[in-house]
């Protein structure tokens, strides 16, 4: 299924919103060449619904009768317009999985003004629905070319939009600094700071917004063929401009504080043991006997996104309970950190490995687990770290060994996804267990699997039971 079911038990949304914002002296038709190509791209149309945001702009502001809104006012309108379209009016549930915001020239400043305005208002939690922002030739340091003519006209008739495009404009400088501190340098998802993926493009022949202005403080910036008017208007789907945009759209370039995870998977193959089975285990210098009625092969596997930018080590870990035991094997082979190793040597029930998050690379943790799924504890519990974006999450549960030995699956497996995570484990037992996410199907009798998409926070549980 695309995303976990909603809290009320209804299916989650299937499409993502791709929203374009035009620039100064322009309108939504500036996006027609690009949108035309996107609508002929089956991979894009499978995932996205495309829309444009319009606002009033022009080379001259007509006094007395009319006025042009400034960038802050346009951003406020975009804020209202976006969320009115994003949520269903009656149910107040989201129509889309998330939104990608794309701005050309001044349109990029409008988007940034909206994002920082939301954070100034303590609305960082709403940015969980903004997947990324992409900017074409946005003048983060102003536009020098034709500034003399624009300034002359602006002296005759005050023009609030043109002022924002001037080189070394104080308002743009303040906005750019806020983007840096509140988004680009953010380390955690918080109310007033939020690490959001951003990508900038500049035109190799652009003499209006040069590279240095289009790049600004942004760490991810790419050149495209074309000038200020044409760089966001590719003529065909084989052009570098179209390919680079689609690559960024489908595989966001990520943020230095957030892991881009293409897929994380969990698989457990559980087998019954004769009641009273006793096995001697060793961890560190300790030797003990574990009495158990089950053993399991458990595999945790993570694949990093092709554009992952987070360089922190990723923790691949697993913990069991009930005085069980974990015998781990890591592929590729690497070692536990000393403090993690000491905890494992002391208890034998918790392992943790720090994996280098190489883009496109897969790491696996394979374990033999004793007494991990005893009667009364036939479940799996997972807190998703808030420092990740998981494109896909897969779970497999294999109980075929029980069935082959005559056991009955008395309570078929159910998966529960809880989007809110207070990080208080004492509250986990109080969650609502009435709305399970349906299984994607049976791989074979006794073997279930689930696949969720676009997960970046929350808690997950799988519960089942068997009897002879």
């Amino acid at each position: 299924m695309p995303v976990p079911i909603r809290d009320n038990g209804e299916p989650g949304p299937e499409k993502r919103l791709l929203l374009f914002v035009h620039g100064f002296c322009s309108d939504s038709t500036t996006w027609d060449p690009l949108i035309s190509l996107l609508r002929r791209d089956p991979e894009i149309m499978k995932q996205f619904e495309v829309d444009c945001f319009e606002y009033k702009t022009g080379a001259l502001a007509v006094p007395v009768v009319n006025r042009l809104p400034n960038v802050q006012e346009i951003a406020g309108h975009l804020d209202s317009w976006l969320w009115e379209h994003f949520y269903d009016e009656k149910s107040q549930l989201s129509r889309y999985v998330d939104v990608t915001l794309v701005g050309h020239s001044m349109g990029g400043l409008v988007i940034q003004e909206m994002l920082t305005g939301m954070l100034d208002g303590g609305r960082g939690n709403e940015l969980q629905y903004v997947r990324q922002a992409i900017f074409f030739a946005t003048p983060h340091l102003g536009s020098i070319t034709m500034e003399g003519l624009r300034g002359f006209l602006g002296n005759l008739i005050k023009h609030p939009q043109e002022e924002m495009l001037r080189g070394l404009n104080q308002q743009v400088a303040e906005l750019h600094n806020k983007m840096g501190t509140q988004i680009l340098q953010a380390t955690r998802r918080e109310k007033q700071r939020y690490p959001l993926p951003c990508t900038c493009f500049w035109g190799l022949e652009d003499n209006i917004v040069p590279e240095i202005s289009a790049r600004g403080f942004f760490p991810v910036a790419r050149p495209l063929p074309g000038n200020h008017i044409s760089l966001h208007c590719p003529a065909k789907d084989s052009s570098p401009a179209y390919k680079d945009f689609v690559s960024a759209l489908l595989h966001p370039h990520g943020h230095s504080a957030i892991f881009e995870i293409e897929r994380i998977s969990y698989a457990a193959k559980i087998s019954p043991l004769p009641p009273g089975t006793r096995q001697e285990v060793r961890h560190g210098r300790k030797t003990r006997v574990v009495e158990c009625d089950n053993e399991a092969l458990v595999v945790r596997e993570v694949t990093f996104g092709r554009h992952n930018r987070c360089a922190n080590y990723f923790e691949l870990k697993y913990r069991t309970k009930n005085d069980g035991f974990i015998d781990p094997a890591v592929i590729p082979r690497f070692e536990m950190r000393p403090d993690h190793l000491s905890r494992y040597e002391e208890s034998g029930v918790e392992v943790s490995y720090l994996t280098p998050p190489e883009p496109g690379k897969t790491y696996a943790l394979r374990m033999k687990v004793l007494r991990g799924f005893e009667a009364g504890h036939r479940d799996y519990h997972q807190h998703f770290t808030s420092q990740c974006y998981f494109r896909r999450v897969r779970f497999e549960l294999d109980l075929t060994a029980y069935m082959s030995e005559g056991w009955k699956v008395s309570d078929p497996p159910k998966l529960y996804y809880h989007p809110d995570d207070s990080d208080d484990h004492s509250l986990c037992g109080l969650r609502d267990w009435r709305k399970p996410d349906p299984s994607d199907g049976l791989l074979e009798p006794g073997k279930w699997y689930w696949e969720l998409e676009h997960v970046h926070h929350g808690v997950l549980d799988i519960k089942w039971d068997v009897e002879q």
Side-chain angles (χ1 to χ4, degrees):
M1 66 193 134
V3 293
I5 65 168
R6 304 179 191 273
D7 287 346
N8 67 353
E10 295 181 0
E14 296 184 357
K15 286 292 188 77
R16 313 168 74 186
L17 178 61
L18 177 57
L19 183 63
F20 292 96
V21 182
H22 64 80
F24 179 64
C25 290
S26 183
D27 57 36
S28 63
T29 60
T30 190
W31 299 107
D32 285 353
L34 177 56
I35 291 177
S36 178
L37 294 177
L38 293 172
R39 293 194 187 283
R40 297 200 296 268
D41 191 324
E43 181 64 21
I44 299 299
M45 288 297 96
K46 178 182 177 182
Q47 297 188 42
F48 292 94
E49 182 173 306
V50 179
D51 207 341
C52 294
F53 171 74
E54 289 269 14
Y55 60 90
K56 188 175 181 180
T57 182
L60 293 176
V62 180
V64 182
V65 178
N66 295 312
R67 66 180 291 271
L68 290 176
N70 60 37
V71 169
Q72 292 83 358
E73 291 169 330
I74 299 169
H77 182 202
L78 172 61
D79 189 356
S80 302
W81 186 96
L82 171 60
W83 301 114
E84 287 176 2
H85 282 70
F86 195 84
Y87 292 104
D88 180 77
E89 183 178 358
K90 291 184 178 179
S91 68
Q92 288 302 301
L93 296 173
S94 61
R95 293 189 177 102
Y96 305 100
V97 176
D98 55 32
V99 57
T100 288
L101 300 168
V102 184
H104 173 239
S105 194
M106 192 178 76
L109 298 180
V110 170
I111 291 170
Q112 294 173 32
E113 190 70 49
M114 185 197 77
L115 295 175
T116 56
M118 291 176 65
L119 292 171
D120 287 342
R123 296 165 56 199
N125 63 314
E126 294 179 53
L127 292 187
Q128 64 182 290
Y129 295 112
V130 179
R131 180 65 179 100
Q132 63 175 326
I134 299 175
F135 308 117
F136 286 96
T138 292
H140 302 112
L141 304 180
S143 170
I144 305 299
T145 303
M146 298 181 67
E147 186 173 272
L149 176 59
R150 295 201 316 265
F152 173 74
L153 294 174
N155 289 330
L156 296 177
I157 302 175
K158 186 173 178 58
H159 198 305
Q161 296 174 9
E162 185 278 328
E163 291 177 0
M164 286 286 284
L165 303 179
R166 296 180 185 179
L168 305 179
N169 176 276
Q170 183 63 31
Q171 286 181 281
V172 175
E174 291 175 358
L175 174 60
H176 199 40
N177 285 329
K178 288 172 69 173
M179 281 293 295
T181 56
Q182 292 180 299
I183 292 179
L184 302 180
Q185 298 164 20
T187 57
R188 298 182 61 83
R189 291 165 170 158
E190 299 172 325
K191 290 183 178 180
Q192 294 185 312
R193 293 191 176 196
Y194 200 95
L196 189 70
C198 297
T199 300
C200 296
F201 293 108
W202 79 86
L204 291 171
E205 294 87 43
D206 190 345
N207 196 36
I208 294 178
V209 178
E211 174 186 346
I212 190 172
S213 182
R215 293 180 68 108
F217 296 153
F218 290 87
V220 181
R222 301 283 187 272
L224 292 178
N227 58 33
H228 192 72
I229 306 302
S230 65
L231 86 160
H232 63 297
C233 301
K236 49 188 178 180
D237 57 12
S238 60
S239 68
Y242 183 77
K243 289 183 176 180
D244 285 355
F245 173 73
V246 167
S247 177
L249 178 62
L250 297 179
H251 304 278
H253 286 275
H255 189 282
S256 60
I258 300 294
F259 295 103
E260 289 284 333
I261 308 294
E262 178 63 26
R263 171 171 154 159
I264 191 165
S265 62
Y266 165 89
K269 180 179 176 62
I270 309 170
S271 304
L273 296 174
T277 296
R278 295 167 63 85
Q279 292 193 26
E280 184 177 271
V281 301
R282 182 179 179 85
H283 43 91
R285 297 182 178 181
K286 291 189 175 183
T287 300
R288 62 185 173 97
V289 173
V290 176
E291 183 172 331
C292 50
D293 68 4
N294 69 90
E295 68 176 17
L297 172 63
V298 177
V299 180
R300 297 291 306 276
E301 189 173 87
V302 60
T303 301
F304 294 98
R306 67 176 68 176
H307 292 155
N308 174 62
R309 292 185 52 247
C310 184
N312 301 326
Y313 278 91
F314 180 82
E315 191 174 13
L316 195 59
K317 61 183 179 180
Y318 186 78
R319 186 177 186 275
T320 188
K321 51 194 174 183
N322 310 321
D323 297 319
F325 174 70
I326 301 173
D327 184 9
V330 183
I331 303 174
R333 186 69 188 175
F334 48 93
E335 303 298 328
M336 276 190 272
R337 206 171 67 183
D339 56 331
H340 294 161
L341 179 60
S342 64
R343 288 204 299 267
Y344 173 73
E345 291 179 340
E346 177 64 26
S347 68
V349 300
E350 181 180 358
V351 296
S352 178
Y353 294 85
L354 298 180
T355 69
E358 298 180 38
K361 191 71 174 289
T362 298
Y363 297 91
L365 172 60
R366 304 176 188 276
M367 301 158 283
K368 175 184 176 182
V369 180
L370 296 178
R371 197 182 167 90
F373 303 96
E374 297 290 290
H377 298 282
R378 306 197 199 279
D379 56 47
Y380 171 74
H381 183 69
Q382 170 76 52
H383 286 254
F384 291 109
T385 171
S386 62
Q387 299 299 108
C388 294
Y389 180 91
F390 301 98
R391 176 66 180 83
R392 291 183 178 85
V393 180
R394 182 179 175 91
F395 296 88
E396 293 184 15
L397 179 64
D398 186 343
L399 301 178
T400 55
Y402 277 93
M403 298 177 67
S404 65
E405 295 192 22
W407 289 65
K408 176 185 177 183
V409 180
S410 55
D411 185 11
K414 300 178 182 65
L415 182 146
Y416 299 86
Y417 174 72
H418 317 282
D420 297 320
D421 184 4
S422 66
D423 205 27
D424 185 345
H425 291 253
S426 65
L427 298 177
C428 290
L430 304 178
R431 299 187 185 279
D432 187 349
W433 304 105
R434 294 173 297 171
K435 309 179 187 73
D437 281 70
S439 167
D440 285 77
L442 285 170
L443 297 173
E444 59 182 87
K447 191 173 182 179
W448 293 261
Y449 78 98
W450 299 258
E451 277 201 353
L452 311 180
E453 295 187 350
H454 313 298
V455 172
H456 48 85
H457 65 292
V459 184
L460 183 142
D461 292 274
I462 300 176
K463 292 176 174 284
W464 70 91
D465 207 353
V466 292
E467 63 180 26
Q468 283 184 301

